[in-house]
Amino acid sequence: MPTKVTYIHVKLLITDFIKNIPKTYLQQRRIFIMEQKMFCYQCEQTAGCNGCTGAAGVCGKDATVAALQDELTGALIGLAKACGNNPKTENTDRIIIEGLFTTVTNVNFNAETLTAMIQAVNEEKTKVVPNCSSCMSPCGNTSNYDMKNLWNEPDEDIRSLKSLILFGIRGMAAYAYHAMVLGYTDETVNSFFYKALSFISYDLEMEHLLPVVLEVGEVNLKCMALLDQANTTTYGTPVPTKVPLTIEKGPFIVVTGHDLKDLELLLEQTKDKGINIYTHGEMLPAHAYPELKKYPHLKGNFGTAWQNQQKEFDHIPGAVLFTTNCLMPVKPSYADRVFTTEVVSYPEMVHIDEKKDFTPVIEKALELGGYDTDQDKTGINGGHFVMTGFGHGTVLSVADTVIDAVKSGVISHFFLVGGCDGARTGRNYYTEFVKQTPTDSIILTLACGKYRFNDLNLGEIGGLPRIMDMGQCNDAYSAIQVAVALAEAFQCNVNELPLSMVLSWYEQKAVCILLTLLHLGIKNIYLGPTLPAFISPNVLNYLVENYNIAPISTPEEDLKKILG
């Protein structure tokens, strides 16, 4: 059962670690690592749909950062294995979760903070097994894992399944972290991180790894339920909310990422200071939570999805706070007004530490002054507002209306069109798909992929808007709850519902959500814009044969297949 705990910062004292690391050590490490070629294929935009190699990745991280992230992962595996026969400390769970979250795409580009995190993980392992380093007969069971063993694994199917496990738990760690910040943990979720990390280092066959892959999806469902409980208990059940895209004149701060707690703390510290707060990207659903809606200076939403930030933040006359991932390499035109917090880190950017004193952000916003006049911004399709707040609490509260509408033929079909957005050519597919859906269908959406179409005015059905934003990527839990409830009402399984899932993916949180859908036995998922590079042909064939996963083609062809 989820446990409500008192949130006490056992946050890693990264700043202190950095101060104690000799600069010559960091310089030598950079020189050594820069001689190595990176390898990374964890995100959708990986070079050539095969993997980023050479000096830098498509996301912007260089070979030094990539190697340090691998070293950090190897240290986490060593720590997890050390806890197999030794009791963990009160800090071990947090260090495991925070370390995994740090390696998610677009979170940390900073070699110094990564080095500090590695040191912290190794020091934690020393606390767990204090006599290991002085042992006269080392067994190697708690040694840090060399990730090159995974990337160079000759059996591509083994490499594929282990990658699915690793990338899945990286995404799940982000959700566990957000719940933990609000004081919620689950021992089943925490314990699984140790198991999954350890399995990556074991010499196992496909039949042993496949169940663990699906177990990632099973445990992630618990993790998403935990975060849903944490968010709704802390901030209330989301309610349908109309969010303007206009930016009012005067000082302002843009908050991006996913962390509702950071937003709440900033709203508290900016009360009565004449500063307006705007959400960006995955923070949009914050407007629907009653305990956040009560702040009158939470005004609206700035911009669209994460991949447009370099254009949208160009010379912005306001401050920007990054609370979690979706950070892109910062351009000089706005570098002096970007701030990071939690696990997000970028070289030379001001970081707000665990004390959560947002004074530097506030002072920068006041200094810049904002726009002189209101800015009439629009969405990608020219809309002036977007809607959010259609979580499972809201949708299920009108379940009878929805069920009657389906039975009477007023609603013909449900489409879940959601997931991550990105810059790769072809993502306009999702806009065109939504535009071409039948006028008697409902589009459920979530995550930042919705910015492709969430400002479209597609009208209503029986008083319900045709586009319903269910929230952040983790709010896939809401979509699952609605699907299960509808299946129970119609006395069928989810795959027999007039419901189709058309998903876009970019990073590791999308991976763990996909694995959750597979764990639930949900089939006929359309996935795009490309298939993951870490899925081998045999593993892909397994997914196609057992779950009928299909790559997207064209909106016209896919709609024809779905609707017959």
Side-chain angles (χ1 to χ4, degrees):
M1 292 293 292
T3 303
K4 180 72 168 68
V5 299
T6 302
Y7 179 54
I8 301 175
H9 277 295
V10 289
K11 183 101 169 117
L12 300 176
L13 300 178
I14 289 179
T15 302
D16 291 338
F17 279 136
I18 292 173
K19 289 179 181 178
N20 293 324
I21 298 174
K23 292 299 179 184
T24 53
Y25 170 77
L26 290 172
Q27 292 167 357
Q28 289 170 356
R29 177 177 288 278
R30 285 197 189 99
I31 291 171
F32 173 77
I33 294 175
M34 284 303 292
E35 294 174 352
Q36 315 301 310
K37 284 188 175 182
M38 71 177 290
F39 175 75
C40 183
Y41 66 170
Q42 71 176 1
C43 84
E44 184 267 333
Q45 290 181 175
T46 192
C49 295
N50 292 310
C52 293
T53 60
V58 174
C59 71
K61 69 182 176 185
D62 60 29
T64 302
V65 167
L68 286 170
Q69 289 180 342
D70 279 353
E71 186 177 345
L72 173 56
T73 303
L76 291 168
I77 291 172
L79 175 57
K81 292 171 68 178
C83 293
N85 296 313
N86 301 280
K88 59 189 179 183
T89 77
E90 63 179 5
N91 295 339
T92 314
D93 286 347
R94 184 182 180 96
I95 288 174
I96 289 281
I97 292 170
E98 186 170 332
L100 283 168
F101 190 6
T102 298
T103 60
V104 169
T105 302
N106 291 69
V107 170
N108 192 311
F109 294 80
N110 194 330
E112 292 188 353
T113 54
L114 285 166
T115 301
M117 179 70 78
I118 293 166
Q119 182 176 336
V121 173
N122 287 330
E123 289 187 1
E124 181 66 15
K125 187 172 71 170
T126 300
K127 294 176 184 176
V128 171
V129 282
N131 300 318
C132 190
S133 60
S134 60
C135 179
M136 299 302 293
S137 302
C139 62
N141 290 338
T142 63
S143 299
N144 290 356
Y145 181 71
D146 186 349
M147 291 300 291
K148 290 187 179 65
N149 292 330
L150 177 56
W151 309 142
N152 295 326
E153 166 62 52
D155 188 322
E156 63 177 355
D157 298 326
I158 300 298
R159 183 174 65 249
S160 179
L161 292 174
K162 287 187 175 183
S163 295
L164 270 170
I165 293 170
L166 174 60
F167 301 155
I169 61 173
R170 282 178 174 176
M172 187 168 70
Y175 300 147
Y177 186 90
H178 294 315
M180 182 172 59
V181 166
L182 293 175
Y184 287 78
T185 62
D186 185 299
E187 186 55 35
T188 300
V189 173
N190 290 350
S191 296
F192 182 72
F193 288 121
Y194 296 82
K195 174 182 176 178
L197 282 166
S198 298
F199 263 66
I200 293 167
S201 70
Y202 295 156
D203 186 12
L204 299 168
E205 299 300 322
M206 281 187 68
E207 60 265 28
H208 301 116
L209 291 170
L210 269 171
V212 182
V213 170
L214 294 179
E215 192 176 358
V216 174
E218 179 183 8
V219 179
N220 184 60
L221 181 61
K222 292 180 181 292
C223 191
M224 289 194 296
L226 177 73
L227 181 53
D228 178 78
Q229 179 188 0
N231 285 339
T232 55
T233 302
T234 306
Y235 301 113
T237 299
V239 296
T241 302
K242 184 177 180 179
V243 183
L245 303 180
T246 298
I247 309 302
E248 297 181 15
K249 66 179 180 180
F252 66 95
I253 298 171
V254 175
V255 184
T256 188
H258 304 72
D259 201 293
L260 300 180
K261 181 66 175 179
D262 284 326
L263 175 61
E264 179 192 21
L265 293 172
L266 181 65
L267 287 166
E268 273 294 317
Q269 293 181 36
T270 50
K271 284 194 303 187
D272 304 319
K273 292 185 181 294
I275 299 174
N276 290 329
I277 307 297
Y278 295 90
T279 56
H280 174 268
E282 282 273 65
M283 290 299 290
L284 169 64
H287 291 275
Y289 287 93
E291 290 301 307
L292 298 176
K293 287 171 65 70
K294 70 183 183 182
Y295 292 95
H297 59 303
L298 179 59
K299 289 290 186 177
N301 192 69
F302 182 100
T304 53
W306 67 273
Q307 79 277 0
N308 299 319
Q309 66 189 252
Q310 290 181 328
K311 176 179 65 177
E312 293 175 344
F313 293 166
D314 189 40
H315 293 98
I316 180 177
V320 182
L321 175 66
F322 281 86
T323 66
T324 56
N325 59 310
C326 299
L327 170 67
M328 293 184 71
V330 182
K331 293 176 65 177
S333 64
Y334 58 90
D336 67 325
R337 56 210 66 184
V338 167
F339 300 83
T340 61
T341 192
E342 296 295 340
V343 298
V344 190
S345 188
Y346 195 85
E348 300 181 7
M349 298 296 103
V350 176
H351 188 79
I352 307 301
D353 64 18
E354 63 271 18
K355 295 177 183 177
K356 296 297 180 183
D357 180 358
F358 291 110
T359 299
V361 190
I362 294 168
E363 290 179 345
K364 177 57 70 172
L366 292 172
E367 173 194 331
L368 293 168
Y371 295 105
D372 295 330
T373 60
D374 292 353
Q375 302 294 300
D376 188 19
K377 303 285 188 178
T378 63
I380 289 177
N381 302 287
H384 293 273
F385 68 89
V386 292
M387 293 288 294
T388 191
F390 292 93
H392 62 92
T394 294
V395 177
L396 295 181
S397 70
V398 294
D400 290 343
T401 300
V402 173
I403 292 167
D404 289 343
V406 174
K407 288 181 176 179
S408 65
V410 174
I411 296 177
S412 67
H413 207 87
F414 295 89
F415 296 93
L416 175 59
V417 186
C420 308
D421 204 0
R424 190 186 293 275
T425 301
R427 285 184 178 266
N428 60 319
Y429 163 96
Y430 297 94
T431 308
E432 295 307 314
F433 185 95
V434 168
K435 286 180 177 179
Q436 295 179 39
T437 54
T439 56
D440 59 354
S441 64
I442 294 284
I443 294 93
L444 305 175
T445 189
L446 48 84
C448 62
K450 62 176 168 273
Y451 281 103
R452 295 276 172 173
F453 52 80
N454 66 340
D455 65 318
L456 288 170
N457 183 6
L458 298 186
E460 297 182 345
I461 299 178
L464 299 172
R466 283 196 57 215
I467 297 180
M468 297 185 185
D469 175 19
M470 309 193 85
Q472 297 181 342
C473 52
N474 57 281
D475 290 311
Y477 178 75
S478 277
I480 291 169
Q481 293 300 102
V482 169
V484 170
L486 288 175
E488 291 177 353
F490 288 106
Q491 297 182 331
C492 64
N493 66 51
V494 172
N495 294 313
E496 294 172 324
L497 287 171
L499 167 67
S500 301
M501 297 190 180
V502 184
L503 308 180
S504 56
W505 81 283
Y506 174 72
E507 42 94 327
Q508 297 75 66
K509 284 180 282 186
V511 174
C512 66
I513 291 171
L514 176 63
L515 295 180
T516 293
L517 297 176
L518 300 185
H519 155 70
L520 293 170
I522 294 175
K523 299 182 179 182
N524 305 312
I525 298 170
Y526 287 78
L527 184 64
T530 64
L531 294 176
F534 49 83
I535 299 292
S536 67
N538 285 335
V539 173
L540 178 60
N541 287 338
Y542 173 85
L543 296 178
V544 171
E545 291 174 4
N546 289 275
Y547 299 98
N548 201 26
I549 285 181
I552 60 172
S553 56
T554 66
E556 294 80 7
E557 291 176 3
D558 291 343
L559 278 167
K560 185 177 180 180
K561 291 177 186 176
I562 291 169
L563 300 174

